[in-house]
Amino acid sequence: MSSNMTISKERRSANYHPSIWDPEIIDRFTTSYTYEIYGNQFEDFKENARRLLTSTKDSSTRSKLVDLMQRLGVAYHFEEEIKEAISPSCLHIEDDHDLYTTALHFRLLRERGHFVSTDVFDKFKKDGKFMERLNRDVKGLLSLYEASYLMTVGEDDLEEAKYFSFKHLKSSMEDTEESLDIPLHWRLPRLEARNFIDVYRRDPMNNPLLLDLACLDFNLVQSQLQEELKELARWWKALNFKETLSFARDRLMENYLWALGITFEPKFSQCRIVLTKFVCILSAIDDLYDVYGSINELEKFTDAVSRWDTKAMDGLPECMKICLSTMIDFADEIANLIQSKNDFNALPYLKEAWLNLCKSYLVEARWFSMGYTPKLNEYLENAWTSVGGPAAMAHAYLAMGCTIDKSTLNCLRHGSKLLYWSSRITRLSDDLGTSQAEIERGDVAKSIHCYMKEKGASEDEARDYIKNLIAYSWKKMNEDIIDSKSLPKPLVNMILNMARTAQCIFQYGDGIGTSEGVTKDRLISLVVKPISISTHS
């Protein structure tokens, strides 16, 4: 008894604040925008928008329409039509196209994995430099700036385009500051749609049909999200982690933001529910390794995970047994679901995902127990796994509802460069947002501290270096989108969105650990509060 009391005194705590979203609050979410009431009107809007897109023959006008649909968050309804419209055979960059159109076509094609040479911008240069007369073309510069973020490694002319457009936009347009803060390519799609609807509503030249469609679509999707959250809140309450794992984060709504960021489309409802459960369980186990367990306990816990057996945990605290049994029950639940729908045994893949994750947590726990600060590359070799990206995308793919392809699963397990770079961005963004709190409570060294110690750099220098690593990782992802056609397109989008979600959540600090402020505001706008549909005012 006394030895147990000694252990409990030695336990560290992250002192996370209680959840601001009680299950009772979530259960009261309601909206008048349901498909039963608005379904016919919505289908009419959709059909009229489809006709508008397919009847637009001029490629420049059509590409503007596609860009508008993407930013309003309704492009997913017209995937086939857009795939045909934005293809090298249908969308050409002509010699007489202005800067805006050239850059827009370049961006739209590259977003879909089509290679376009940067030579298309040569006509806007003189002696290898962008012409200064372009500094008055704000619309063109903004289009060039957004296109530049589709660059790959070594495309110095696009790096120059980014610098040139940024410099002139900063000096000529005060109200573009938000646009320049986070480029379109890095933004969370659903949040961009919510924000852009408000911007587009104020445009006197807006298209009322697309605005009506975007508002109604947003609200109808939101009604589904609320139902998913009610189901998840019942599951979370039944787990009772709040009482049994008091050291862990109680963050159902914030974890749902991860899932919603990765995929918002209604057809991926099951995927969102699985991802949210995954992140909730992952967070508890992460906190187990980070702040609660002793190194001896964690060695034994990891061994029990490898055996996939709660009986291997004799002598360990009850909370650790709860973590393992919850992990096993969850994996069984997902495996049974997939077996019934796809006749595929997913359990070996799920076991492997959890074991790899726990092994990577153990590496960090050993470093902490030894007082060891790894070099940055050594840290990153482990951290792209410990951030949870590979395990999250394995769960996402298995829960997508598509026919499961073993080569895709093996690609996720062993060789997806796209997943590696996205996971790296996720880890580095997390580190930028959480490093201060983690220093204060004495956690394992993260990328910023590894670089500071390795190079003798200041914190500001280290932060700048990490930001540059994120930009480099995006270039590598852009490269992989062009080079690789081995993964299903919806999965590619989820992998990209994981990086975007991380940058969004950790943009202003630890958006999970501290859930007031920006994170709360975003959840209210995305999940709780519908858009008022008074579009023609």
Side-chain angles (χ1 to χ4, degrees), residues 214-462:
C215 291
L216 192 50
D217 174 75
F218 188 91
N219 289 347
L220 290 175
V221 169
Q222 188 180 77
S223 72
Q224 180 172 331
L225 304 182
Q226 290 182 359
E227 292 308 308
E228 291 169 10
L229 269 164
K230 289 174 186 179
E231 177 186 330
L232 284 162
R234 290 190 289 272
W235 167 83
W236 185 237
K237 189 176 182 180
L239 273 189
N240 201 27
F241 274 17
K242 187 176 177 181
E243 279 71 34
T244 57
L245 307 179
S246 57
F247 59 86
R249 286 162 284 185
D250 180 7
R251 296 290 183 270
L252 175 67
M253 281 282 283
E254 295 79 4
N255 292 340
Y256 184 73
L257 184 56
W258 272 108
L260 173 56
I262 288 169
T263 180
F264 73 87
E265 295 93 331
K267 68 180 178 181
F268 292 125
S269 176
Q270 175 182 281
C271 190
R272 269 190 301 283
I273 288 170
V274 167
L275 275 172
T276 306
K277 291 181 178 181
F278 166 78
V279 177
C280 285
I281 297 167
L282 169 148
S283 297
I285 292 170
D286 185 21
D287 292 338
L288 188 73
Y289 280 87
D290 267 2
V291 301
Y292 184 86
S294 69
I295 192 63
N296 290 336
E297 289 169 341
L298 296 172
E299 296 274 4
K300 192 167 183 178
F301 180 86
T302 310
D303 180 61
V305 174
S306 71
R307 295 168 185 260
W308 207 248
D309 182 9
T310 52
K311 295 191 184 85
M313 298 188 66
D314 289 345
L316 288 180
E318 188 63 25
C319 62
M320 290 192 166
K321 295 174 184 175
I322 290 168
C323 282
L324 182 58
S325 62
T326 304
M327 180 200 297
I328 290 173
D329 289 347
F330 174 60
D332 285 342
E333 175 196 334
I334 305 308
N336 291 335
L337 178 73
I338 291 160
Q339 186 73 53
S340 66
K341 291 192 174 183
N342 294 78
D343 193 26
F344 180 85
N345 181 16
L347 194 57
Y349 298 93
L350 295 166
K351 284 182 180 179
E352 182 182 55
W354 280 111
L355 179 57
N356 287 342
L357 190 58
C358 290
K359 281 179 175 176
S360 68
Y361 288 160
L362 184 60
V363 168
E364 292 178 351
R366 284 171 177 160
W367 286 342
F368 180 77
S369 72
M370 295 186 298
Y372 174 67
T373 302
K375 292 194 172 179
L376 181 59
N377 281 341
E378 184 184 5
Y379 168 79
L380 287 174
E381 277 174 26
N382 184 69
W384 81 275
T385 302
S386 70
V387 77
M393 288 301 106
H395 281 76
Y397 176 63
L398 290 166
M400 272 169 58
C402 61
T403 301
I404 293 169
D405 175 56
K406 282 192 177 179
S407 66
T408 298
L409 269 175
N410 287 329
C411 185
L412 287 177
R413 289 169 67 208
H414 304 303
S416 173
K417 291 185 290 180
L418 189 69
L419 178 54
Y420 168 77
W421 294 111
S422 177
S423 297
R424 200 164 95 146
I425 291 168
T426 302
R427 166 49 72 199
L428 295 172
S429 301
D430 184 325
D431 289 359
L432 284 174
T434 62
S435 63
Q436 197 55 50
E438 287 172 344
I439 288 175
E440 288 168 8
R441 67 172 174 254
D443 269 10
V444 64
K446 296 292 170 66
S447 55
I448 291 166
H449 324 115
C450 294
Y451 184 81
M452 287 169 69
K453 183 163 183 182
E454 183 181 341
K455 301 294 184 183
S458 68
E459 186 177 345
D460 284 345
E461 287 169 337

Side-chain angles (χ1 to χ4, degrees), residues 484-512:
S484 172
K485 302 290 187 284
S486 60
L487 297 176
K489 184 65 177 168
L491 183 59
V492 169
N493 290 337
M494 289 184 196
I495 292 171
L496 285 176
N497 284 338
M498 181 171 69
R500 292 168 175 145
T501 307
Q503 287 183 279
C504 174
I505 284 174
F506 299 108
Q507 186 179 2
Y508 301 109
D510 186 353
I512 301 293

Side-chain angles (χ1 to χ4, degrees), residues 175-197:
D175 61 349
T176 60
E177 194 158 333
E178 187 183 347
S179 299
L180 303 180
D181 188 26
I182 302 286
L184 268 177
H185 189 47
W186 292 11
R187 288 185 209 168
L188 197 63
R190 207 58 185 159
L191 197 59
E192 166 62 12
R194 180 64 191 86
N195 294 335
F196 186 68
I197 285 169

